[in-house]
Amino acid sequence: MSGLHTDLTYNLSAWFGLEGNVVSAWGGTIGGERTKYVLYAGGARIGWGPSRKRLTPWAHALVGGVHLNPQVANSSKNSFALQVGGGADWAYNSRVSLRAEADYVRSSLYSSTQNNFQIGLGAVIHF
């Protein structure tokens, strides 16, 4: 599946922040219905503080939920989700950074446990 990953972090100190994120993804069709996936989670982010270097690594641990279509008989489309991972931001200038990120995502859809990985590349806007 391919999609869009958005997150917002409020830094409480130079190294600790509260983060919330939403990941939306779309895939192929099953039985004439397009597959859709939404992960929503919140938790803690630990960074290595404001860096004088261009590269700033970070890690996060988030809990929340996941919603997946299509519906399967006798199973819920919703589940608890755990997202753990990290990445690094490369400062392009004082307002924009480029980000590389990798996460482990655990969920329990359709009466079974899923262990997945997600990777992403993107831009960060600092304000």
Side-chain angles (χ1 to χ4, degrees):
M1 299 180 108
S2 299
L4 179 65
H5 181 142
T6 58
D7 75 53
L8 182 64
T9 302
Y10 181 76
N11 291 312
L12 298 172
S13 70
W15 61 273
F16 182 78
L18 297 176
E19 177 180 349
N21 80 27
V22 176
V23 177
S24 301
W26 303 268
T29 55
I30 297 174
E33 188 175 351
R34 186 170 179 132
T35 56
K36 301 172 192 166
Y37 168 89
V38 176
L39 169 73
Y40 46 93
R45 175 187 291 246
I46 297 173
W48 277 254
S51 176
R52 296 190 180 162
K53 299 179 181 176
R54 284 176 114 23
L55 192 65
T56 305
W58 53 268
H60 63 183
L62 311 169
V63 294
V66 64
H67 180 84
L68 181 66
N69 276 336
Q71 175 88 29
V72 174
N74 298 325
S75 294
S76 175
K77 297 193 289 185
N78 300 301
S79 167
F80 169 81
L82 171 68
Q83 180 180 3
V84 179
D89 296 344
W90 180 78
Y92 179 71
N93 61 37
S94 65
R95 288 291 198 202
V96 176
S97 295
L98 301 177
R99 171 171 290 172
E101 175 178 357
D103 292 309
Y104 163 75
V105 179
R106 182 181 175 98
S107 60
S108 298
L109 290 159
Y110 307 135
S111 302
S112 66
T113 301
Q114 295 82 37
N115 297 296
N116 295 299
F117 293 93
Q118 65 185 20
I119 58 171
L121 299 172
V124 178
I125 300 170
H126 304 276
F127 54 97

